[in-house]
Amino acid sequence: MITKVKLKNFRSHLNSELDFSRGTNALVGILGSGKSTVMNALTFGLFGTFPDLQTKKVKLDDIIMNKPSVKNQAEVVVDFTIDGKNYSLMRVVERGKGTTYSEIREGDRLLEAPNSQRVTELVEKILKVNYDLFSKAIYSEQNELDYFLTLPKGERMRRIDNLLTIDKFEKARSSTVTLINKLVDRKLGKQSIIEQTDVEELKKLIDVLKEDLDGLKKNKFEVSAEIETLDKTKKELEIELKRLEQLNKDLIYYKEQDKSLESAIEENKKFISEIEGLLKGKTPKDIEDRMKQFSEKIKEIENNIKKKRSEQEKLTELISETKTKIEFLEKDKMKKLESEISRKLSIKDMLVDIRKTYGEKPLEKFDKEKEMLEEIIKKLSSLTTKLSETKTILEQVYELKDHCPVCLSKLTPTKKRTLIEKQKKNIEKIEKEIKVLEKEEKIKKEILSSFEETVDRFKQFLNEVKDLDDLQKQLKELRKLYSKYEKNLESYQKNFNAIKLEISNIQRDLEKTQDEQKNLSYLYSRIPEIEKKKSRLVFLNSRIEDVKRSIDEINKKLKGQDIEKLRKEFTEIVSKKSELEERLKNLSQILKEKEIRKNEEEEKLKMIETQKAEVARLEKTIRDFKIFEKALVNTQTQLRTEFIDAVNYTMNEIWPSIYPYEDFIGVALNIESGDYVLQLKDRMGRWVSADGIASGGERSIACLALRIAFSLVLAPNLKMLILDEPTANLDSRSITELAATLRERINEFIDQTFLITHQRELEDAVTGNAYRIERDKSIDGVTKVSVI
């Protein structure tokens, strides 16, 4: 029995605590007030999930309060009693992290924490009910009291089989049939292989292969013996051939030595003759003195070159400096100055053009024109004032009656008209004068506007050209300086070229002297070699005599020996041995292939025998699985029969208590056309379908009886029922009947019922605790719980 449910920050519940007792407990409130949330929290507390979460209509984060304020953690506590023991469950959900803590306690003793899955497994063990059974047999979701009847035909049996776990037997049966089919296919495949093979022919072929292998092995042995004999002869010939070939190599070597020694003797004689010819009787002392003279001359020439190069470097610096000055004058100063003078001369030409247009004194002329415009403006102002005064007088004349306001004389109409005409003529005259002056003013302004721009430019041009003469004088001075630099540069370059030519001549003299010194030095260095060459010549003559003796000795040893014949004989033996080895290789390959073929055929024969044994084993396995399949079918049928018998027995036991009328005396769950149907038994003993014939109230009571039976048969340990909005599609009479059943009759079979409703009429059904659930949805308020 559930004794308490606490919700903290769970959906719209900020901090709600509800106590429950035996009998029918009710949660009453309008739609969206948070009634179903209490049952979702109860289910979540027990099993860590609830229907909307299981079907992914909501996520874990959605159960944490979002309105009117966002919370980061929700908590559910469920207390229950079973078998005389008190238990308490707690689960904590954190935003973005899921269920972060779960625990279950028996009294004050902690049984399991903090793993949610292990806590759920322990709850299922204690209650002897898992979530699937709880959600289908005990928890009737919102408006789904008649859930069984709303399922389409064919789906009812599947759902109930799933509830009873009979579907696992069907899955096992289906898998067994699939396996039998696979085993049959496998057996047929193996039988096909056996039928395609002639076993007797296979055995004969193996015997033939064995005979061939024996012949090949004998042939291989004979070829191997012949190869061994040839190999022995080959080795003997190879030793003799190597000895003769070595003598031949030695002969070639000594002949090459002889030739090389003769060449060296000739080279030494030539060197001695050449050096003695160059000396021409000069002593080493004579050559040393001559080399000393050349050294002194070279030193003197190098000093002269050094001096000339120093002069050349100074001239190079002067040339570079002068070129820099010329370039600076030409590209920087003179060019800029010429550009500036050219610009100012252009401006001077523009001044001339202005004077041609406006005279020699355009500024005075501009001032004069300005004065004339001011005079016109004064006249216009005066005339405008006069025009205004005249118009005022004309208006006053129009207003005059019999007497003149000035002279008080009588004012006749004729005199008045004369005065008006006179004033009109004055106005007309003034207006004409104003028009003439306005035209003159406009023309003067246009002239002055254009003239003013020209005057500004004239002043600017005068200012620009005031230093023109000074700039022209500067340019003249710079050109004189430029001419001077050019003459200096020409002189420096002339001197530079002269020194360059002089250095070139001295350099040639130096090179000639150095070559002569080099030749003398070479000759001097070779003098000591003459004696060495003479000693070497004596040695070479002695060595060549030894070499010639060695050649004679080898020729004697080779006399009468035919190396080519011996080599040919050796080649023939090698060739024959190679042929035999190739033959041996082919024999080995054929032997190997025959051996493989024999093994393959023997393996095939062995495989056929194995396949026969496998076919026999598969036939026995298929028979066993067919027996197992029939057992599974019988088990399903037996389980359904026992379940229907238990449900029908339970429903008929409770039917008289929950249905007080006599028009239907029984209720049953039967199987028709391969599916379950809920039927009612009338007074005549006829069975009618609750899905079509019964009224809303009768249908609800029948569905309630089925729910109670499911709960008692499938979860006898709990004896609990949760009904969420069970009054859908019921009229007021049916609602009254349902309330009476829940209040007066259901408690005989169910220990604890939870009723979630928005119908105040069902408050009468309460025999346990009742709560009003309220929430102001217009301001996203929290759920408030009050005891009814």
Side-chain angles (χ1 to χ4, degrees), residues 42-84:
L42 166 63
T43 309
F44 183 75
L46 291 172
F47 302 105
T49 187
F50 56 89
D52 283 351
L53 187 61
Q54 190 76 4
T55 57
K56 298 184 179 178
K57 289 180 182 178
V58 297
K59 300 176 182 177
L60 264 177
D61 280 0
D62 296 335
I63 71 175
I64 303 172
M65 180 176 280
N66 276 315
K67 298 174 183 178
S69 60
V70 177
K71 304 295 182 181
N72 291 317
Q73 179 177 298
E75 184 180 305
V76 174
V77 175
V78 176
D79 293 348
F80 65 92
T81 301
I82 193 165
D83 296 333

Side-chain angles (χ1 to χ4, degrees), residues 619-672:
E619 286 175 344
K620 182 180 181 304
T621 305
I622 290 166
R623 287 196 299 273
D624 292 344
F625 271 121
K626 284 183 177 179
I627 294 167
F628 179 63
E629 187 222 346
K630 287 180 181 178
L632 288 171
V633 172
N634 294 335
T635 301
Q636 289 181 73
T637 304
Q638 184 66 28
L639 284 172
R640 286 195 189 100
T641 302
E642 289 179 2
F643 170 70
I644 289 171
D645 290 346
V647 167
N648 287 339
Y649 174 79
T650 304
M651 284 197 297
N652 284 290
E653 283 292 308
I654 65 175
W655 183 251
S657 299
I658 65 172
Y659 190 74
Y661 309 109
E662 296 180 358
D663 51 343
F664 291 112
I665 59 175
V667 61
L669 183 69
N670 294 314
I671 296 177
E672 288 185 0

Side-chain angles (χ1 to χ4, degrees), residues 233-400:
T233 306
K234 172 180 165 279
K235 286 177 180 177
E236 292 171 354
L237 283 172
E238 193 172 13
I239 292 167
E240 180 61 19
L241 193 58
K242 281 183 179 179
R243 186 184 71 81
L244 293 173
E245 283 178 343
Q246 186 59 48
L247 286 171
N248 205 32
K249 284 180 183 178
D250 292 344
L251 180 62
I252 292 166
Y253 169 74
Y254 284 122
K255 283 181 177 180
E256 287 175 353
Q257 283 286 304
D258 182 54
K259 188 176 178 181
S260 178
L261 288 167
E262 285 177 352
S263 176
I265 289 166
E266 186 61 33
E267 186 183 337
N268 276 273
K269 286 178 179 178
K270 186 179 178 182
F271 175 79
I272 292 166
S273 175
E274 183 184 342
I275 298 301
E276 285 178 346
L278 288 171
L279 285 172
K280 296 178 181 177
K282 293 187 185 74
T283 64
K285 181 69 171 63
D286 295 335
I287 294 172
E288 284 177 3
D289 293 341
R290 185 66 176 152
M291 285 173 65
K292 188 176 181 182
Q293 290 172 7
F294 277 126
S295 294
E296 290 173 355
K297 185 178 180 182
I298 287 168
K299 189 174 182 181
E300 183 183 343
I301 293 169
E302 286 176 342
N303 287 334
N304 193 15
I305 288 172
K306 187 176 180 182
K307 181 180 176 184
K308 291 296 179 182
R309 280 187 175 152
S310 176
E311 292 175 10
Q312 189 181 40
E313 286 173 4
K314 288 179 182 178
L315 283 169
T316 301
E317 289 176 5
L318 286 169
I319 288 167
S320 176
E321 184 180 340
T322 306
K323 280 183 176 179
T324 303
K325 289 177 179 178
I326 289 170
E327 188 176 350
F328 174 72
L329 285 173
E330 185 177 29
K331 290 185 178 179
D332 194 5
K333 279 196 167 185
M334 286 175 64
K335 192 172 182 179
K336 287 181 181 178
L337 203 53
E338 284 170 350
S339 176
E340 183 66 12
I341 289 170
S342 175
R343 188 180 70 81
K344 289 182 182 291
L345 285 172
S346 298
I347 293 170
K348 191 174 181 182
D349 290 341
M350 285 191 276
L351 283 170
V352 171
D353 291 340
I354 292 170
R355 285 193 175 103
K356 283 179 182 179
T357 305
Y358 296 100
E360 288 297 321
K361 297 180 179 179
L363 295 177
E364 293 179 7
K365 187 175 180 180
F366 175 74
D367 292 339
K368 192 173 181 182
E369 290 289 338
K370 202 171 180 183
E371 288 173 1
M372 289 171 68
L373 177 62
E374 289 172 355
E375 186 64 30
I376 290 169
I377 291 168
K378 284 180 183 178
K379 285 181 181 180
L380 268 172
S381 178
S382 175
L383 284 171
T384 302
T385 304
K386 187 176 179 181
L387 178 64
S388 177
E389 291 172 352
T390 305
K391 285 181 177 179
T392 304
I393 292 169
L394 180 63
E395 289 173 359
Q396 290 174 351
V397 170
Y398 275 119
E399 292 175 359
L400 290 177

Side-chain angles (χ1 to χ4, degrees), residues 383 426-437:
L383 284 171
N426 286 339
I427 289 169
E428 188 178 345
K429 181 183 177 184
I430 293 167
E431 285 178 342
K432 284 180 180 178
E433 288 177 358
I434 285 172
K435 284 182 180 179
V436 171
L437 285 172

Side-chain angles (χ1 to χ4, degrees), residues 367-574:
D367 292 339
K368 192 173 181 182
E369 290 289 338
K370 202 171 180 183
E371 288 173 1
M372 289 171 68
L373 177 62
E374 289 172 355
E375 186 64 30
I376 290 169
I377 291 168
K378 284 180 183 178
K379 285 181 181 180
L380 268 172
S381 178
S382 175
L383 284 171
T384 302
T385 304
K386 187 176 179 181
L387 178 64
S388 177
E389 291 172 352
T390 305
K391 285 181 177 179
T392 304
I393 292 169
L394 180 63
E395 289 173 359
Q396 290 174 351
V397 170
Y398 275 119
E399 292 175 359
L400 290 177
K401 295 184 179 179
D402 296 333
H403 293 85
C404 175
V406 178
C407 61
L408 300 176
S409 61
K410 190 175 180 182
L411 186 64
T412 63
T414 304
K415 189 175 180 179
K416 186 176 181 180
R417 282 195 300 273
T418 303
L419 285 172
I420 289 169
E421 289 297 323
K422 183 180 177 182
Q423 293 304 320
K424 282 184 176 180
K425 286 178 181 179
N426 286 339
I427 289 169
E428 188 178 345
K429 181 183 177 184
I430 293 167
E431 285 178 342
K432 284 180 180 178
E433 288 177 358
I434 285 172
K435 284 182 180 179
V436 171
L437 285 172
E438 282 177 342
K439 189 174 180 181
E440 288 179 6
E441 180 191 29
K442 184 179 178 183
I443 292 166
K444 285 292 180 186
K445 281 182 177 179
E446 288 174 356
I447 292 168
L448 276 172
S449 176
S450 174
F451 199 1
E452 186 174 16
E453 185 180 340
T454 305
V455 165
D456 291 340
R457 285 169 56 226
F458 185 78
K459 289 177 181 178
Q460 182 184 349
F461 291 164
L462 283 174
N463 189 52
E464 288 277 349
V465 300
K466 65 184 179 181
D467 61 343
L468 179 59
D469 293 337
D470 292 338
L471 292 175
Q472 286 173 331
K473 286 177 184 178
Q474 288 178 29
L475 181 60
K476 188 176 180 182
E477 291 298 323
L478 287 173
R479 281 175 176 163
K480 285 179 184 179
L481 185 60
Y482 182 80
S483 178
K484 178 183 174 184
Y485 287 155
E486 279 191 327
K487 287 176 182 177
N488 289 344
L489 180 61
E490 186 180 353
S491 174
Y492 295 150
Q493 285 179 335
K494 187 176 180 182
N495 291 338
F496 179 84
N497 291 333
I499 291 172
K500 185 179 179 183
L501 181 61
E502 192 175 349
I503 289 171
S504 179
N505 292 332
I506 296 169
Q507 188 72 37
R508 280 196 293 274
D509 189 22
L510 176 62
E511 289 170 0
K512 183 180 177 182
T513 306
Q514 285 174 335
D515 287 342
E516 289 177 357
Q517 186 192 42
K518 189 177 178 182
N519 290 334
L520 278 175
S521 178
Y522 170 75
L523 185 60
Y524 184 77
S525 67
R526 306 297 275 188
I527 289 171
E529 290 187 36
I530 293 173
E531 293 303 323
K532 289 180 183 178
K533 292 289 183 182
K534 287 178 179 179
S535 299
R536 176 70 176 162
L537 195 58
V538 172
F539 169 75
L540 290 171
N541 286 325
S542 172
R543 176 66 182 145
I544 200 168
E545 289 175 3
D546 293 338
V547 168
K548 288 185 183 296
R549 280 194 296 272
S550 296
I551 290 169
D552 292 339
E553 288 174 5
I554 292 169
N555 282 328
K556 287 176 183 177
K557 289 177 181 178
L558 287 172
K559 192 175 180 180
Q561 297 291 339
D562 191 345
I563 297 175
E564 287 304 318
K565 183 180 178 182
L566 192 63
R567 190 178 283 120
K568 186 179 179 182
E569 186 181 349
F570 177 77
T571 303
E572 287 174 353
I573 288 172
V574 169

